[in-house]
Amino acid sequence: HVSASVGGVRCGGGCGVYLAFIPREDAPLMPITFVGEADADLAVVNLPVFTVGDAAVVLAFRNNSATPPSLPAGWTSIASNGSSGVSYRTGYRVLQSGDLTTSTWTNATSIVVVVLTGNSSTPIGTTAEGSGISTSMSFTTVALQDSGGTSWVILEGAHGTATDTNSVALAGTTNRASGVSTAIAAHTAENVTAWPTTAKTVNTSSRYFTRSVEILAAGVSVLSGNITCRGVQMGILRGAR
């Protein structure tokens, strides 16, 4: 049997195992909110006005090579890929004082950045890629690391030839694309408990790439493992983020 004690959980029956008790915070310290978006047919854009600690996620697209754009110093790569003469790289940064731009993602022909606040200091949860040669751009399902309804999913993408990638809606999301680059898609799904694969149709067929990126809220603990004591399985929670 399992008996609670002050500051922890003791496994009864004489096994002598004592586990520190880490309370789950079912609500974030503050909810995630949208700060801003910028996109352009360039390799760098200015950041929207932000607060130190906000999360910025970039998708940099290259429309003339299957070799992805370079990752700037100070940014962390999420993923990259290339095929059929186009490529992309996605990365993130927890923004700091003095940040003004995305820095240059060398060889990118288009770029998009989405900035959120209320995120964890380690903001990236689960991510997934979509890709194909089609008029249908698929934003792939992610098995959320935190399915309690506090995460957001940033959905960014780019298409090799379509000219309405920025303006076509994606079901279940808010369109964040400014429209400066018609090659770029930027959406957010807010406070989700799941993100299923969802597609939108653009006006021509060629190679596209998308990335679905879960952003974790500050102050929410997530299950990170378990321990079994005398047949009783107990979840281990990570501390507040």
Side-chain angles (χ1 to χ4, degrees):
H1 68 277
V2 177
S3 60
S5 64
V6 176
V9 176
R10 187 179 303 281
C11 180
C15 70
V17 174
Y18 184 83
L19 302 176
F21 178 69
I22 306 171
R24 177 181 175 90
E25 300 183 27
D26 289 320
L29 298 178
M30 60 179 285
I32 294 174
T33 54
F34 178 72
V35 172
E37 181 270 1
D39 60 75
D41 291 325
L42 298 168
V44 58
V45 287
N46 291 331
L47 293 167
V49 177
F50 66 87
T51 301
V52 170
D54 290 353
V57 177
V58 162
L59 185 141
F61 184 64
R62 187 177 185 184
N63 201 10
N64 53 18
S65 173
T67 301
S70 299
L71 182 76
W75 290 75
T76 300
S77 185
I78 295 173
S80 63
N81 201 355
S83 181
S84 307
V86 300
S87 56
Y88 84 103
R89 184 181 300 277
T90 306
Y92 79 96
R93 179 172 171 84
V94 177
L95 296 174
Q96 303 174 15
S97 178
D99 288 345
L100 299 175
T101 73
T102 59
S103 299
T104 299
W105 297 62
T106 302
N107 296 319
T109 56
S110 300
I111 190 171
V112 58
V113 61
V114 174
V115 180
L116 302 179
T117 195
N119 50 276
S120 163
S121 60
T122 51
I124 305 302
T126 308
T127 81
E129 179 185 286
S131 177
I133 298 175
S134 180
T135 59
S136 179
M137 296 181 68
S138 180
F139 294 80
T140 306
T141 186
V142 288
L144 298 178
Q145 189 172 326
D146 185 351
S147 59
T150 60
S151 287
W152 283 36
V153 179
I154 293 176
L155 303 134
E156 295 175 331
H159 197 281
T161 55
T163 58
D164 60 352
T165 308
N166 62 305
S167 59
V168 176
L170 181 67
T173 74
T174 303
N175 190 353
R176 303 295 187 179
S178 70
V180 175
S181 172
T182 59
I184 288 293
H187 306 267
T188 58
E190 301 91 15
N191 303 315
V192 293
T193 57
W195 173 256
T197 296
T198 307
K200 67 179 191 177
T201 301
V202 295
N203 59 11
T204 62
S205 177
S206 66
R207 172 69 64 182
Y208 73 88
F209 286 104
T210 65
R211 198 81 201 175
S212 309
V213 180
E214 179 190 9
I215 302 298
L216 300 167
V220 177
S221 300
V222 295
L223 190 66
S224 61
N226 57 67
I227 188 170
T228 301
C229 181
R230 292 191 177 274
V232 178
Q233 189 175 80
M234 292 168 283
I236 308 298
L237 297 178
R238 260 195 283 163
R241 298 189 295 261

Coordinates of all heavy atoms in Angstrom, one line a residue, residues 8-49:
G8 N 6.3 14.0 1.2 CA 6.6 12.9 0.3 C 5.6 11.8 0.4 O 4.5 11.9 0.9
V9 N 6.0 10.7 -0.3 CA 5.1 9.5 -0.3 C 6.0 8.4 0.1 O 7.1 8.1 -0.4 CB 4.6 9.3 -1.8 CG1 3.8 8.0 -1.8 CG2 3.7 10.4 -2.2
R10 N 5.5 7.6 1.2 CA 6.2 6.5 1.7 C 5.5 5.2 1.2 O 4.3 5.1 1.3 CB 6.2 6.5 3.2 CG 7.1 5.4 3.8 CD 7.2 5.5 5.3 NE 7.6 6.8 5.8 CZ 8.9 7.2 5.8 NH1 9.8 6.4 5.4 NH2 9.2 8.4 6.2
C11 N 6.2 4.3 0.7 CA 5.7 3.0 0.3 C 5.6 2.1 1.5 O 6.6 1.9 2.2 CB 6.6 2.3 -0.8 SG 6.0 0.7 -1.3
G12 N 4.4 1.7 1.9 CA 4.1 1.0 3.1 C 4.6 -0.5 3.0 O 5.1 -0.9 2.0
G13 N 4.3 -1.2 4.0 CA 4.6 -2.7 4.0 C 6.0 -3.0 4.3 O 6.5 -4.1 4.0
G14 N 6.7 -2.0 4.8 CA 8.1 -2.2 5.3 C 9.2 -2.2 4.2 O 10.3 -2.5 4.5
C15 N 8.8 -1.6 3.1 CA 9.9 -1.6 2.0 C 10.9 -0.4 2.2 O 12.0 -0.4 1.7 CB 9.3 -1.5 0.6 SG 8.5 0.1 0.3
G16 N 10.4 0.6 3.0 CA 11.3 1.6 3.4 C 11.7 2.6 2.4 O 12.7 3.4 2.5
V17 N 10.9 2.7 1.3 CA 11.2 3.6 0.2 C 10.4 4.9 0.4 O 9.2 4.9 0.7 CB 10.8 3.0 -1.2 CG1 11.0 4.1 -2.3 CG2 11.7 1.8 -1.5
Y18 N 11.1 6.0 0.4 CA 10.4 7.3 0.6 C 10.7 8.2 -0.6 O 11.9 8.4 -1.1 CB 11.0 8.0 1.8 CG 10.3 9.3 2.2 CD1 9.1 9.3 2.9 CD2 10.9 10.5 1.8 CE1 8.5 10.5 3.2 CE2 10.3 11.7 2.1 CZ 9.1 11.7 2.8 OH 8.5 12.9 3.1
L19 N 9.6 8.7 -1.3 CA 9.8 9.5 -2.5 C 9.4 11.0 -2.1 O 8.4 11.2 -1.5 CB 8.9 9.0 -3.6 CG 9.1 7.6 -4.0 CD1 8.0 7.2 -5.1 CD2 10.5 7.4 -4.6
A20 N 10.2 11.9 -2.6 CA 9.9 13.3 -2.5 C 8.6 13.6 -3.2 O 8.4 13.1 -4.3 CB 11.0 14.2 -3.0
F21 N 7.7 14.4 -2.6 CA 6.5 14.7 -3.2 C 6.6 16.0 -4.0 O 7.0 17.0 -3.5 CB 5.4 14.9 -2.2 CG 4.0 15.3 -2.7 CD1 3.3 14.4 -3.5 CD2 3.5 16.5 -2.5 CE1 2.1 14.7 -4.0 CE2 2.3 16.9 -3.0 CZ 1.6 16.0 -3.8
I22 N 6.3 15.9 -5.3 CA 6.4 17.1 -6.2 C 5.0 17.4 -6.7 O 4.4 16.7 -7.5 CB 7.3 16.9 -7.4 CG1 8.7 16.4 -6.9 CG2 7.5 18.1 -8.2 CD1 9.6 15.9 -8.0
P23 N 4.3 18.5 -6.2 CA 3.0 18.7 -6.6 C 2.9 19.1 -8.0 O 3.7 19.8 -8.6 CB 2.6 19.9 -5.7 CG 3.9 20.6 -5.4 CD 4.9 19.5 -5.3
R24 N 1.8 18.7 -8.7 CA 1.5 19.1 -10.1 C 0.8 20.4 -10.0 O -0.1 20.6 -9.2 CB 0.7 18.1 -10.8 CG 0.3 18.6 -12.2 CD -0.6 17.6 -13.0 NE -0.9 18.2 -14.2 CZ -0.2 18.1 -15.3 NH1 0.9 17.4 -15.3 NH2 -0.6 18.6 -16.5
E25 N 1.3 21.4 -10.8 CA 0.6 22.6 -10.9 C -0.4 22.5 -12.1 O 0.1 22.5 -13.3 CB 1.6 23.8 -11.1 CG 2.5 23.9 -10.0 CD 3.5 25.1 -10.1 OE1 3.1 26.0 -10.8 OE2 4.6 25.0 -9.6
D26 N -1.6 22.4 -11.9 CA -2.6 22.1 -13.0 C -2.9 23.4 -13.8 O -3.4 23.3 -14.9 CB -3.9 21.6 -12.4 CG -3.7 20.2 -11.9 OD1 -3.0 19.4 -12.5 OD2 -4.2 19.9 -10.8
A27 N -2.5 24.5 -13.3 CA -2.6 25.8 -14.1 C -1.3 26.4 -14.3 O -0.5 26.3 -13.4 CB -3.6 26.7 -13.4
P28 N -1.0 27.0 -15.4 CA 0.3 27.6 -15.6 C 0.4 28.9 -14.7 O -0.6 29.4 -14.3 CB 0.3 28.0 -17.1 CG -1.2 28.1 -17.4 CD -1.9 27.1 -16.6
L29 N 1.6 29.4 -14.5 CA 1.8 30.6 -13.8 C 1.1 31.7 -14.5 O 0.6 32.6 -13.9 CB 3.3 30.9 -13.6 CG 4.1 29.8 -12.9 CD1 5.6 30.2 -12.8 CD2 3.6 29.7 -11.4
M30 N 1.2 31.7 -15.8 CA 0.4 32.6 -16.6 C 0.2 31.9 -18.0 O 1.0 31.1 -18.4 CB 1.2 34.0 -16.9 CG 2.5 33.8 -17.6 SD 3.4 35.4 -17.8 CE 2.4 36.1 -19.2
P31 N -1.0 32.2 -18.6 CA -1.2 31.5 -19.8 C -0.3 32.0 -21.0 O 0.1 33.1 -21.0 CB -2.7 31.8 -20.1 CG -3.0 33.1 -19.4 CD -2.1 33.0 -18.2
I32 N -0.1 31.1 -21.9 CA 0.6 31.5 -23.1 C -0.3 32.5 -23.9 O -1.5 32.3 -24.0 CB 0.9 30.3 -24.0 CG1 1.9 29.4 -23.3 CG2 1.5 30.7 -25.4 CD1 2.2 28.1 -24.1
T33 N 0.4 33.5 -24.4 CA -0.3 34.5 -25.3 C 0.5 34.8 -26.5 O 1.8 34.7 -26.4 CB -0.8 35.8 -24.5 OG1 0.4 36.3 -23.9 CG2 -1.8 35.5 -23.5
F34 N -0.1 35.3 -27.5 CA 0.6 35.7 -28.8 C 1.2 37.1 -28.6 O 0.6 38.0 -28.1 CB -0.4 35.7 -29.9 CG 0.2 36.1 -31.2 CD1 1.0 35.3 -31.9 CD2 -0.2 37.3 -31.8 CE1 1.5 35.6 -33.2 CE2 0.3 37.7 -33.0 CZ 1.2 36.9 -33.7
V35 N 2.5 37.2 -29.0 CA 3.2 38.4 -29.0 C 3.3 39.1 -30.4 O 2.9 40.2 -30.5 CB 4.7 38.2 -28.4 CG1 5.5 39.5 -28.6 CG2 4.6 37.8 -27.0
G36 N 3.7 38.3 -31.4 CA 3.8 38.8 -32.7 C 4.4 37.9 -33.7 O 4.9 36.8 -33.3
E37 N 4.3 38.3 -35.0 CA 4.8 37.4 -36.1 C 5.5 38.4 -37.1 O 5.0 39.5 -37.2 CB 3.7 36.7 -36.7 CG 4.1 35.8 -37.9 CD 4.0 36.4 -39.3 OE1 3.7 37.6 -39.4 OE2 4.4 35.7 -40.2
A38 N 6.5 37.9 -37.8 CA 7.1 38.6 -38.9 C 7.5 37.6 -39.9 O 8.0 36.5 -39.6 CB 8.2 39.5 -38.4
D39 N 7.3 38.0 -41.2 CA 7.8 37.1 -42.3 C 8.2 38.0 -43.5 O 7.8 39.2 -43.6 CB 6.7 36.1 -42.7 CG 5.4 36.8 -43.2 OD1 5.4 37.3 -44.3 OD2 4.5 36.7 -42.4
A40 N 9.1 37.5 -44.3 CA 9.6 38.2 -45.5 C 10.3 37.2 -46.4 O 10.7 36.1 -46.0 CB 10.5 39.3 -45.1
D41 N 10.5 37.6 -47.6 CA 11.3 36.8 -48.6 C 12.7 37.3 -48.5 O 13.3 37.9 -49.4 CB 10.7 37.0 -50.0 CG 9.4 36.4 -50.2 OD1 9.2 35.3 -49.6 OD2 8.6 36.9 -50.9
L42 N 13.3 37.1 -47.3 CA 14.6 37.4 -46.9 C 15.2 36.3 -46.0 O 14.6 35.3 -45.8 CB 14.6 38.8 -46.1 CG 14.0 40.0 -46.8 CD1 13.8 41.1 -45.8 CD2 15.0 40.5 -47.9
A43 N 16.4 36.6 -45.5 CA 17.1 35.6 -44.6 C 17.1 36.1 -43.2 O 17.6 35.4 -42.3 CB 18.5 35.3 -45.1
V44 N 16.5 37.3 -42.9 CA 16.4 37.8 -41.6 C 15.2 38.8 -41.5 O 14.9 39.4 -42.5 CB 17.7 38.6 -41.2 CG1 18.0 39.7 -42.2 CG2 17.7 39.1 -39.8
V45 N 14.5 38.8 -40.4 CA 13.5 39.8 -40.1 C 13.6 40.4 -38.7 O 14.3 39.8 -37.9 CB 12.1 39.2 -40.2 CG1 11.7 38.9 -41.7 CG2 11.9 38.0 -39.4
N46 N 13.1 41.6 -38.5 CA 13.1 42.2 -37.2 C 12.1 41.4 -36.3 O 11.0 41.0 -36.7 CB 12.6 43.6 -37.3 CG 13.7 44.5 -38.0 OD1 14.9 44.2 -37.9 ND2 13.2 45.6 -38.6
L47 N 12.4 41.3 -35.0 CA 11.6 40.7 -34.0 C 10.5 41.7 -33.6 O 10.7 42.9 -33.6 CB 12.4 40.3 -32.8 CG 13.4 39.2 -33.0 CD1 14.3 39.1 -31.8 CD2 12.7 37.8 -33.2
P48 N 9.3 41.2 -33.3 CA 8.3 42.1 -32.7 C 8.7 42.5 -31.3 O 9.6 41.9 -30.7 CB 7.0 41.2 -32.7 CG 7.5 39.8 -32.7 CD 8.8 39.8 -33.5
V49 N 8.1 43.5 -30.8 CA 8.4 43.9 -29.4 C 8.1 42.8 -28.4 O 7.0 42.3 -28.5 CB 7.6 45.2 -29.0 CG1 7.9 45.6 -27.6 CG2 8.0 46.3 -30.0

